[in-house]
Amino acid sequence: AVCILQFAVDEVRLQAGNSTLVALTDIEFQEYMARYGNLPESMFTLFMCITGGIDWVESYTPLKKISGVLAFLFAGYICFSTL
């Protein structure tokens, strides 16, 4: 959770500083912040993904738009946690 959160925050900061890199719309950014805005939210989102509270694809989509590496880390976490 910490690794995913830190990477995601760094990517959003990078994109905020360079308008040509922006990958999220305002609505997507709000959804992203609701799921990954701080460490407790990130941990709860990851917990819900592996316990069936929410479909993991819903949490994967905003990460994929930010970074392929971040999406890969998330998918790896889901695989490791559920297999």
Side-chain angles (χ1 to χ4, degrees):
V2 173
C3 180
I4 290 173
L5 174 64
Q6 185 61 48
F7 194 97
V9 168
D10 290 344
E11 286 294 318
V12 169
R13 285 183 184 159
L14 176 67
Q15 290 179 11
N18 187 349
S19 61
T20 61
L21 295 175
V22 175
L24 300 175
T25 65
D26 289 338
I27 294 171
E28 291 170 333
F29 182 74
Q30 293 301 323
E31 179 183 326
Y32 165 79
M33 290 304 291
R35 294 180 193 268
Y36 301 104
N38 56 47
L39 183 59
E41 288 296 327
S42 295
M43 292 174 62
F44 190 60
T45 297
L46 296 176
F47 174 74
M48 287 191 304
C49 288
I50 62 172
T51 59
I54 57 174
D55 189 22
W56 66 268
V57 174
E58 294 174 18
S59 298
Y60 172 83
T61 303
L63 298 178
K64 185 175 96 173
K65 290 184 178 185
I66 292 173
S67 169
V69 173
L70 188 54
F72 179 76
L73 285 173
F74 180 81
Y77 169 79
I78 297 297
C79 289
F80 178 76
S81 299
T82 58
L83 296 178

